Amino acid sequence: MKYGHFDDVHQEYVITTPKTPLPWINYLGCNEFFSLISNTCGGYTFYKDAKLLRLTRYRYNNVPADINGKYLYIKDGDTVWNPGWQPTKTELDSYECRHGIGYSRFTSSKNGVKASVLSFVPLNDNCEISQLTLTNGSSEDKKLSVFSYVEWCLWNADDDMKNFQRNLSTGEVEVQDSTIYHKTEYRERRNHYAIYSVNTKIDGFDTSRDAFLGAYRGADSPEAVENGKCTNSMASGWSPIASHQINVDLAAGETKTFIFVLGYIENPEDEKWESYGVINKTRAKEMLAKYQTDAQVDEAFAALQAYWKQLLARYTVDSADEKVNRMVNTWNQYQCMVTFNMSRSASYYESGIGRGMGFRDSCQDLLGFVHLIPDRARERIIDIASTQFQDGSAYHQYQPLTKKGNSDIGSGFNDDPLWLIAGTSAYVRETGDTSILTQMVPFDNDMSVAAPLMDHLKRSLDYIINHKGPHNLPLIGRADWNDCLNLNCFSAHPGESFQTFGPSEGPVAESVFIAGMFVKYGEEYAQLCELMGDDTEAARARKEVQAMYDAILKDGWDGDWFVRAYDAYSHKVGSRECREGQIYIEPQGFCVLAGVGVKEGLAEKALNSVKERLDTKYGVMILQPAYTEYHLELGEVSSYPPGYKENAGIFCHNNPWVSIAETVLGRGDRAFEIYRKTCPAYIEDISEIHRTEPYVYSQMVAGKDAKFYGEAKNSWLTGTAAWTFVNISQYILGVYPTHQGLSVDPCIPKGFGDFSITRKFREGIYHIQVKNPQNVEKGVVSMTVDGKAVDGHIIPYEKGKEEYNIVITMG
Ligand code: BGC
Ligand code: NOJ
């Protein structure tokens, strides 16, 4: 069942009922000011950091769901309704929510009045604009009242929901003309305030939540709206809000628009005040002056659309498969950009007060957006590398505002160092910019011990080489990519964090997954060494890679698939010897995509085992059989009920690894089958089962052991976005950046047909046509570049050349 449809022309998902199975959200903002906005106008806004600088209050886990947002109430006689349906839930005569790229548009009607709300964050200002257009489509003149409503968060979202003994006494506001200023804590340690304004004279306002809502009432039935009259309340402590009242006479057929602006203003320390106790509003007024007319709003909106258009134009495909086209050209890349902006901080599943930027997460996210925003990717790499320790290990997370490593969680996740090589290699292959490798980068943010980035990568590699266990496989430390496989943790008491409990870094537990990573990224490191002219170091790295390869085949092979790990007793994890958890997806995907066991015929066996034992109609499960008991020696992985999360869920992040591995073997049908099963556009039809947004990936879909088999959770902020984009764009469609130039070597399902790709790569635009007359799954027989035959399938990069026309023939 569907709750809407894709509009590919406008690059929008059109939701046609407010009653979606879960709130379906969108993100507004590209730089520093962001809003989450659901299909019923729920959500919240923050500046830079979702925890420390949150403008509006949101109630996670609220009943009813998804309450608090930016609400507009329309009072038409005795009927009160909202264009987004919530919070009054008055039945609408029509409803539509269009989530677009960086904006959302709601269009609804009731009793002959049509309301349309366009919300977006303009490119260069720290504000969100909501342009309301009201049209009286009835035959009689109407006297309406519009009420706006936002509830302020007292900035620190964590403190805001805990420290009531203080917070209920600190709230402060000012009101001038049609602007409400939220200035809690401005008097003492803050130099920022928030504003909510409308571009028309108002007929009343409220800034006290209690006055607006009335005793024991919620946002679904504000007393002020019911009475048709705001009370002009001035908040003092308790919960400050911002509500404007605008009385609107709307003749039959008439249309009027109103522009609401929610903004964030920072003042220099010595310009905080206009007069004693009165905040300096100059900057607020300057910003508001830019959004007073529809023409100004139209212009800002057009600029935003142009920005996204040029961004997404960097990789486009035109194939016979409209679902592939829409995911590649729009939604998958868009989600990659959202993971760039949010990392794992703020979604409807990440509360914005928890994890900051993950080391491994951010390095992997980079793989999905490096082609879109190479300059910002460069900066991100430097930020991440600056949190590395001198021995090559790394802080597992860092704070987005300070960019300092987070000592609460510390280090010891032994896959982290290698992801830095992955991200850097992707950046250099994409841009050809080797200057990043010689840039001095601090360790643990201490510039006095800085070293060139290349040296950081060497230490990443050496960390693994110097931390091997009894089988010459990498020690796992606290955990690897699967951070629920806590082999050294032994946590027996509730409340202990699996992620950080105990020393957690024993001398025995080993990871075959990290071994696969080492083979893949050790080779990418060697290529970077060659690029820098250091053949000796490249040879050393390749020797170590070979040793790891051999160790995997010797002790990491279980007969029909790769072993997952060795636990703290040196017992196998993910082996036929185990009662539960006999086979895991991660080493099958990663070892094969790294090329391990291909020539020995083991890779094919491993992938066949995946198909036989882990496949479902909704995707490939992370392990089987699910753990039905808690295993002290395995940790969190066995703490989830069977079928959920890391315990046999379909973890969408590593499905592309297996799909990529299939392309390494040239099996295009199977690679695409795996791609398709978790791809949102293909499962739109089962939205009542899948439940999360049909335009973005979720972290997890419940596996076959779960009660709610097929149900997804944790949409938006997941490494799935980057890896699925890498898979479809670089391996299935086959356009892969190498140091020498773009390689085009597709691996597609039979019957996929011819297709073309336009790809911006360095200074050039590449127009690539792929022909497949023999209907093969893989193989390039010939290539022409600008009409001339070129051997192989790598388009030689020519510095400064702006346009390339390529024809690839498969066969
Ligand atoms: C989740 C993981 C997550 C980890 C770190 C665990 O509870 O299952 O998916 O990576 O927490 O926050
Ligand atoms: C989510 C985390 O963000 C990521 O770092 C981890 O690799 C996966 N869960 C798998 O456990």
Side-chain angles (χ1 to χ4, degrees):
M1 183 178 162
K2 300 205 288 186
Y3 300 83
H5 56 267
F6 287 94
D7 175 343
D8 292 330
V9 174
H10 296 101
Q11 299 184 290
E12 294 170 333
Y13 192 81
V14 188
I15 302 168
T16 48
T17 166
K19 293 173 205 166
T20 46
L22 292 164
W24 285 0
I25 72 163
N26 193 12
Y27 285 85
L28 314 179
C30 311
N31 295 311
E32 301 189 317
F33 187 95
F34 298 102
S35 293
L36 286 72
I37 183 165
S38 75
N39 60 311
T40 59
C41 291
Y44 61 93
T45 296
F46 62 92
Y47 175 69
K48 277 192 183 172
D49 186 313
K51 175 179 167 185
L52 297 175
L53 292 172
R54 196 176 295 190
L55 274 78
T56 60
R57 198 175 264 170
Y58 186 74
R59 290 187 182 80
Y60 277 93
N61 211 3
N62 193 54
V63 180
D66 192 24
I67 281 294
N68 243 7
K70 257 149 258 148
Y71 295 132
L72 295 172
Y73 300 85
I74 296 164
K75 183 167 163 66
D76 178 4
D78 288 337
T79 308
V80 177
W81 58 284
N82 304 98
W85 184 62
Q86 285 245 65
T88 59
K89 297 195 201 74
T90 301
E91 280 307 315
L92 299 169
D93 296 338
S94 70
Y95 160 93
E96 184 185 87
C97 162
R98 288 178 174 258
H99 283 320
I101 305 303
Y103 68 92
S104 292
R105 194 194 291 272
F106 301 81
T107 308
S108 307
S109 62
K110 181 76 186 173
N111 298 345
V113 176
K114 186 171 126 191
S116 162
V117 185
L118 169 67
S119 296
F120 68 99
V121 171
L123 280 178
N124 300 316
D125 277 307
N126 295 320
C127 64
E128 176 184 331
I129 294 173
S130 299
Q131 184 188 37
L132 167 70
T133 307
L134 285 178
T135 305
N136 183 355
S138 75
S139 51
E140 55 198 76
D141 297 351
K142 296 247 185 192
K143 278 191 179 308
L144 309 172
S145 297
V146 173
F147 297 83
S148 67
Y149 177 74
V150 299
E151 183 177 357
W152 299 115
C153 178
L154 306 183
W155 299 113
N156 180 330
D158 191 17
D159 191 68
D160 183 71
M161 63 172 156
K162 292 197 305 224
N163 194 4
F164 301 109
Q165 61 79 26
R166 169 179 159 81
N167 294 342
L168 296 179
S169 294
T170 56
E172 289 188 286
V173 296
E174 285 182 31
V175 180
Q176 191 184 75
D177 303 326
S178 299
T179 306
I180 295 161
Y181 297 81
H182 175 227
K183 61 168 186 177
T184 300
E185 290 192 345
Y186 187 78
R187 219 159 20 88
E188 7 114 26
R189 292 169 299 172
R190 295 188 184 275
N191 65 342
H192 44 260
Y193 58 82
I195 53 171
Y196 196 36
S197 185
V198 61
N199 69 335
T200 187
K201 227 168 126 7
I202 55 175
D203 296 285
F205 65 86
D206 268 306
T207 66
S208 149
R209 191 182 72 192
D210 293 345
F212 181 73
L213 296 181
Y216 292 96
R217 285 177 177 237
D220 57 333
S221 58
E223 203 165 61
V225 178
E226 195 174 290
N227 295 339
K229 190 91 203 90
C230 275
T231 69
N232 295 355
S233 57
M234 290 301 291
S236 176
W238 299 106
S239 291
I241 59 147
S243 172
H244 308 94
Q245 177 182 349
I246 307 155
N247 299 335
V248 188
D249 287 340
L250 212 56
E254 194 182 4
T255 293
K256 283 188 179 160
T257 66
F258 303 93
I259 301 163
F260 294 86
V261 178
L262 173 79
Y264 170 90
I265 305 292
E266 237 169 56
N267 275 336
E269 210 43 48
D270 55 353
E271 289 176 34
K272 278 179 71 168
W273 305 103
E274 175 181 306
S275 59
Y276 185 73
V278 180
I279 59 181
N280 180 347
K281 304 182 177 63
T282 313
R283 284 180 173 74
K285 287 178 182 168
E286 278 166 11
M287 185 165 83
L288 288 172
K290 296 193 206 169
Y291 305 106
Q292 290 303 300
T293 67
D294 289 336
Q296 288 173 311
V297 170
D298 291 349
E299 198 183 316
F301 186 54
L304 179 72
Q305 289 192 297
Y307 165 80
W308 276 109
K309 203 168 173 207
Q310 59 80 25
L311 212 57
L312 298 181
R314 296 181 73 94
Y315 192 122
T316 58
V317 61
D318 184 9
S319 78
D321 187 324
E322 65 164 11
K323 297 190 170 84
V324 166
N325 298 350
R326 82 166 54 112
M327 288 312 298
V328 170
N329 299 343
T330 306
W331 295 100
N332 201 171
Q333 295 196 79
Y334 181 49
Q335 188 178 359
C336 287
M337 281 302 293
V338 171
T339 64
F340 164 73
N341 286 321
M342 299 291 132
S343 190
R344 301 295 172 272
S345 70
S347 73
Y348 268 30
Y349 306 86
E350 301 280 4
S351 60
I353 59 173
R355 301 190 279 163
M357 315 281 296
F359 192 98
R360 80 157 75 85
D361 293 337
S362 298
C363 287
Q364 289 174 90
D365 290 348
L366 215 128
L367 307 177
F369 61 72
V370 64
H371 69 294
L372 293 169
I373 43 167
D375 295 347
R376 295 170 85 184
R378 188 186 204 280
E379 196 183 315
R380 181 63 61 82
I381 291 171
I382 302 296
D383 288 349
I384 298 170
S386 304
T387 65
Q388 192 176 26
F389 293 107
Q390 293 195 57
D391 70 351
S393 65
Y395 276 114
H396 191 50
Q397 292 167 2
Y398 70 97
Q399 298 308 122
L401 267 189
T402 63
K403 299 186 174 176
K404 295 250 160 60
N406 177 354
S407 45
D408 292 344
I409 181 137
S411 71
F413 295 80
N414 284 355
D415 60 322
D416 277 336
L418 291 174
W419 291 119
L420 182 63
I421 300 180
T424 309
S425 156
Y427 170 79
V428 176
R429 284 184 286 108
E430 179 68 35
T431 60
D433 169 23
T434 50
S435 76
I436 192 175
L437 299 172
T438 51
Q439 179 164 336
M440 296 298 279
V441 181
F443 288 101
D444 191 7
N445 277 288
D446 179 355
M447 216 38 203
S448 71
V449 287
L453 181 62
M454 196 66 205
D455 197 41
H456 282 254
L457 305 188
K458 176 172 185 293
R459 294 187 201 204
S460 284
L461 197 87
D462 284 340
Y463 186 84
I464 310 299
I465 296 169
N466 297 332
H467 293 81
K468 288 189 189 168
H471 301 91
N472 286 317
L473 293 165
L475 290 175
I476 199 167
R478 287 180 183 273
D480 62 21
W481 173 88
N482 185 338
D483 53 18
C484 295
L485 194 56
N486 314 112
L487 303 181
N488 296 302
C489 178
F490 294 93
S491 175
H493 300 286
E496 289 165 353
S497 158
F498 288 104
Q499 304 287 313
T500 55
F501 177 71
S504 289
E505 288 160 51
V508 175
E510 298 166 290
S511 163
V512 178
F513 170 76
I514 301 181
M517 277 187 84
F518 186 89
V519 172
K520 166 98 177 130
Y521 297 120
E523 169 56 27
E524 294 198 15
Y525 169 76
Q527 290 177 16
L528 288 173
C529 294
E530 282 170 346
L531 208 59
M532 300 303 281
D534 193 347
D535 292 348
T536 320
E537 177 63 1
R540 180 186 78 98
R542 290 206 170 101
K543 210 167 139 236
E544 293 291 350
V545 164
Q546 186 59 50
M548 193 67 85
Y549 190 109
D550 297 342
I552 297 176
L553 292 197
K554 180 162 179 291
D555 290 312
W557 180 252
D558 198 54
D560 285 309
W561 57 82
F562 293 99
V563 177
R564 175 62 178 85
Y566 284 89
D567 69 17
Y569 306 110
S570 238
H571 296 152
K572 285 182 186 167
V573 180
S575 154
R576 61 177 68 251
E577 291 167 19
C578 309
R579 200 172 56 75
E580 308 190 310
Q582 293 179 337
I583 173 170
Y584 278 65
I585 194 175
E586 302 99 303
Q588 323 313 326
F590 233 88
C591 288
V592 178
L593 76 79
V596 181
V598 175
K599 56 179 185 293
E600 295 83 355
L602 305 182
E604 197 177 329
K605 256 192 182 174
L607 297 188
N608 291 347
S609 299
V610 167
K611 184 161 183 189
E612 212 174 284
R613 290 167 186 260
L614 297 178
D615 211 11
T616 77
K617 60 181 168 180
Y618 300 127
V620 184
M621 293 174 291
I622 194 168
L623 64 85
Q624 276 294 301
Y627 295 107
T628 56
E629 287 165 18
Y630 178 52
H631 294 248
L632 189 64
E633 77 289 6
L634 302 180
E636 186 172 3
V637 69
S638 58
S639 73
Y640 285 112
Y644 292 120
K645 293 279 285 179
E646 282 86 346
N647 186 11
I650 297 157
F651 224 84
C652 301
H653 186 132
N654 43 34
N655 275 245
W657 296 345
V658 178
S659 181
I660 294 170
E662 290 286 356
T663 69
V664 170
L665 301 190
R667 304 201 290 196
D669 277 337
R670 176 68 181 147
F672 195 75
E673 184 191 347
I674 297 169
Y675 170 75
R676 199 168 35 75
K677 281 182 177 174
T678 57
C679 181
Y682 283 94
I683 46 180
E684 187 197 5
D685 287 341
I686 54 155
S687 289
E688 80 285 8
I689 299 171
H690 189 71
R691 300 187 80 223
T692 52
E693 295 91 333
Y695 39 93
V696 292
Y697 285 92
S698 295
Q699 181 202 56
M700 192 252 336
V701 172
K704 74 168 172 49
D705 303 281
K707 177 160 164 50
F708 298 112
Y709 176 37
E711 180 187 70
K713 290 197 185 92
N714 302 1
S715 55
W716 284 97
L717 303 186
T718 159
T720 312
W723 273 106
T724 47
F725 189 70
V726 166
N727 179 29
I728 186 72
S729 65
Q730 301 184 7
Y731 291 90
I732 294 179
L733 299 173
V735 181
Y736 178 90
T738 74
H739 295 298
Q740 289 72 41
L742 272 188
S743 155
V744 186
D745 188 11
C747 184
I748 48 180
K750 285 192 235 45
F752 191 74
D754 297 351
F755 60 97
S756 59
I757 284 174
T758 307
R759 170 69 151 94
K760 178 106 176 53
F761 177 66
R762 305 188 190 171
E763 317 86 72
I765 295 270
Y766 291 66
H767 305 282
I768 304 166
Q769 263 184 284
V770 178
K771 298 187 191 298
N772 190 4
Q774 311 290 331
N775 200 17
V776 298
E777 290 171 75
K778 193 168 182 173
V780 169
V781 285
S782 68
M783 170 169 81
T784 63
V785 178
D786 297 325
K788 287 192 213 71
V790 173
D791 282 348
H793 51 75
I794 297 180
I795 308 157
Y797 165 66
E798 294 173 52
K799 202 169 169 40
K801 181 166 158 174
E802 282 175 11
E803 199 154 355
Y804 299 70
N805 285 291
I806 296 106
V807 180
I808 296 276
T809 306
M810 295 176 67

